[in-house]
């Protein structure tokens, strides 16, 4: 129980961390890269929250909502990972060009 609660808070903290970094950066590809990382953190947060609800409570509505949260979180995590892989080479190239 506390295990999932700890990771829920940790995932939300990473989401906030990456969103703040995204707002503060000036580089366009780095913004997209950080957006993908924050999307993965938010997806993990939602999925873990759904799992935590399934463990803590029992009932038909809880199961439906918990499974819905898990599916939405997993989808966000998957799409964020795909976007991360797509943007990473461009962000690296941008960083190398601007650091020279």
């Amino acid at each position: 129980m506390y295990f999932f609660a700890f990771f829920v808070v940790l995932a939300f903290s990473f989401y906030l961390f990456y969103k703040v970094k995204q707002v503060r950066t000036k580089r366009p590809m780095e913004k997209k890269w950080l957006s993908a990382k924050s999307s993965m953190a938010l997806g993990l947060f939602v999925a873990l929250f759904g799992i935590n609800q399934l463990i803590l409570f029992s009932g038909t509505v809880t199961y439906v909502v918990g499974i819905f949260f898990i599916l939405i979180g997993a989808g966000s995590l998957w799409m964020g990972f795909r976007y991360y892989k797509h943007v990473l080479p461009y962000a690296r190239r941008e960083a190398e060009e601007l650091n020279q």
Side-chain angles (χ1 to χ4, degrees), residues 53-73:
Q53 292 303 308
L54 288 177
I55 291 172
L56 288 178
F57 304 109
S58 62
T60 307
V61 175
T62 304
Y63 292 138
V64 171
V65 172
I67 290 171
F68 180 72
F69 277 14
I70 292 169
L71 292 175
I72 294 295

Side-chain angles (χ1 to χ4, degrees), residues 28 40 44 95 99:
M40 289 189 296
L44 186 62
N99 287 336

Side-chain angles (χ1 to χ4, degrees), residues 1-49:
M1 315 261 188
Y2 295 114
F3 175 77
F4 283 113
F6 172 74
F7 284 111
V8 165
V9 171
L10 188 66
F12 189 71
S13 299
F14 274 111
Y15 169 72
L16 289 177
F17 174 74
Y18 289 130
K19 275 298 177 184
V20 168
K21 282 186 75 164
Q22 178 188 354
V23 169
R24 295 185 63 161
T25 188
K26 302 287 190 241
R27 300 174 180 175
M29 282 298 139
E30 188 177 5
K31 275 188 186 284
K32 292 179 181 181
W33 179 63
L34 290 168
S35 173
K37 289 173 85 171
S38 69
S39 176
M40 289 189 296
L42 184 62
L44 186 62
F45 164 72
V46 173
L48 287 174
F49 187 79

